[in-house]
Amino acid sequence: MKKLNFSHQEQSLAYLSAEPEFNLFLIGDILEFGMSGKYVNTYTSDDWTGGEFPYFILEYCGNFLVYSKDLQYDTKEVASFLATQDVQNLSGKKDIVEQLLPYFPERSLKRTYMSRLDSINPDFVFSDTAVQRLDESHAEQLCDLYLSIEEFAATYKGKTREEVIQTIRLNIKANLYYGIFQDGNLLSVAATSASTPDTTMITGVATKKDFRRHGYASSVVGSLCKANFAAGRKFLCLFYSNPEAGKIYHKIGFRELGIFSMLRS
């Protein structure tokens, strides 16, 4: 497998920009951390000598994303490489990632809907619930909230609580986190990830189980979207699997583009 470096960055971003919504994590990570280093490493086929990439792989802290413009890419070669890596999660556009599933039958498949927001629905009503920006001092509360929810706990599988806290602290430094508190307890949160000057991904939307259906998720996501548009971003993205969550996002103005798949260990 050929490891890419800074000299390939411009070409990589041009290649991934063919489908910016599905590749936002890749683009954002490259802009934030570069092509290779402590947090991010990027790869393509060892046979590549120039021209368009046959496929593109990015690794961020054990999470691998795979993309190819060519649906007939060399899945065997990609799977052989991934088998040598400590892959926590493998994700990307459905048509690309699910071709790798036969090579990893022990992994579970999760599909989510990729959505895009170009402007907030003018009929969307913001609640008067107080929403505030979070910082590193809230990392432990964020950790406890995420680990209390099965969907997020699975993402952090194999990590100690302290490792999860450190990951969250790293993410807070580079992204926006908005939350709602009651009596000092964090009830609901939404965050951004993989931000670029033009766009960002809304991620990590979570509400404590006993406090759902009170409009908290709508408040934090709506406020986060509003802040990002005010900062000059042209469109926003998110993905979801829960139909109830989808209703919230549709009210804000998100529209579905396709399916994003993840193979979990």
Side-chain angles (χ1 to χ4, degrees):
M1 192 64 61
K2 183 179 184 65
K3 191 172 184 179
L4 302 174
N5 56 45
F6 179 75
S7 68
H8 306 114
Q9 180 164 317
E10 184 176 351
Q11 183 176 0
S12 299
L13 293 173
Y15 180 73
L16 298 171
S17 293
E19 295 186 275
E21 299 90 355
F22 285 97
N23 292 325
L24 184 52
F25 283 127
L26 292 92
I27 295 170
D29 285 345
I30 290 171
L31 291 175
E32 178 69 24
F33 300 107
M35 296 289 290
S36 63
K38 181 178 180 180
Y39 299 112
V40 164
N41 287 289
T42 54
Y43 308 88
T44 193
S45 173
D46 200 39
D47 294 331
W48 179 74
T49 57
E52 189 161 87
F53 298 116
Y55 54 78
F56 191 93
I57 301 172
L58 181 142
E59 182 262 333
Y60 171 76
C61 297
N63 296 292
F64 285 74
L65 297 102
V66 179
Y67 175 71
S68 178
K69 288 184 181 180
D70 183 5
L71 292 180
Q72 306 302 316
Y73 74 102
D74 192 338
T75 56
K76 184 177 181 180
E77 183 175 69
V78 171
S80 295
F81 167 70
L82 293 173
T84 68
Q85 305 298 303
D86 182 15
V87 180
Q88 295 179 20
N89 295 294
L90 173 61
S91 56
K93 189 177 179 182
K94 173 182 178 294
D95 294 342
I96 302 302
V97 169
E98 293 193 16
Q99 291 190 57
L100 296 169
L101 188 55
Y103 298 97
F104 303 99
E106 74 284 359
R107 290 182 175 264
S108 61
L109 169 65
K110 179 181 179 181
R111 291 173 176 166
T112 57
Y113 295 99
M114 174 64 69
S115 301
R116 170 171 169 151
L117 178 69
D118 292 288
S119 62
I120 296 175
N121 178 2
D123 296 325
F124 176 70
V125 178
F126 287 87
S127 75
D128 57 2
T129 306
V131 177
Q132 69 179 75
R133 182 172 178 178
L134 309 184
D135 57 35
E136 289 183 65
S137 68
H138 300 110
E140 291 190 24
Q141 285 183 284
L142 282 163
C143 172
D144 292 339
L145 174 55
Y146 284 136
L147 293 183
S148 72
I149 300 172
E150 183 178 354
E151 175 186 354
F152 291 99
T155 301
Y156 294 115
K157 183 179 179 181
K159 290 182 177 289
T160 66
R161 182 173 182 273
E162 186 56 37
E163 287 174 332
V164 175
I165 291 171
Q166 290 302 321
T167 298
I168 291 172
R169 283 178 177 153
L170 174 64
N171 291 338
I172 289 175
K173 289 180 180 179
N175 301 289
L176 284 177
Y177 279 70
Y178 276 25
I180 290 176
F181 291 84
Q182 184 181 90
D183 300 325
N185 296 312
L186 182 61
L187 304 184
S188 187
V189 64
T192 60
S193 180
S195 298
T196 75
D198 289 337
T199 185
T200 191
M201 181 74 73
I202 306 298
T203 61
V205 182
T207 302
K208 284 188 175 180
K209 292 181 180 180
D210 293 340
F211 294 89
R212 293 174 182 174
R213 300 185 183 278
H214 292 286
Y216 295 145
S218 295
S219 294
V220 290
V221 173
S223 297
L224 193 57
C225 291
K226 186 176 181 180
N228 276 280
F229 281 129
R233 294 200 163 90
K234 297 177 182 177
F235 68 94
L236 311 175
C237 294
L238 64 76
F239 55 84
Y240 69 90
S241 56
N242 184 335
E244 290 301 313
K247 292 178 182 178
I248 293 172
Y249 306 137
H250 293 158
K251 288 179 180 178
I252 295 172
F254 283 92
R255 57 185 176 83
E256 292 171 11
L257 298 179
I259 296 176
F260 192 86
S261 297
M262 178 181 291
L263 305 185
R264 289 177 165 176
S265 58

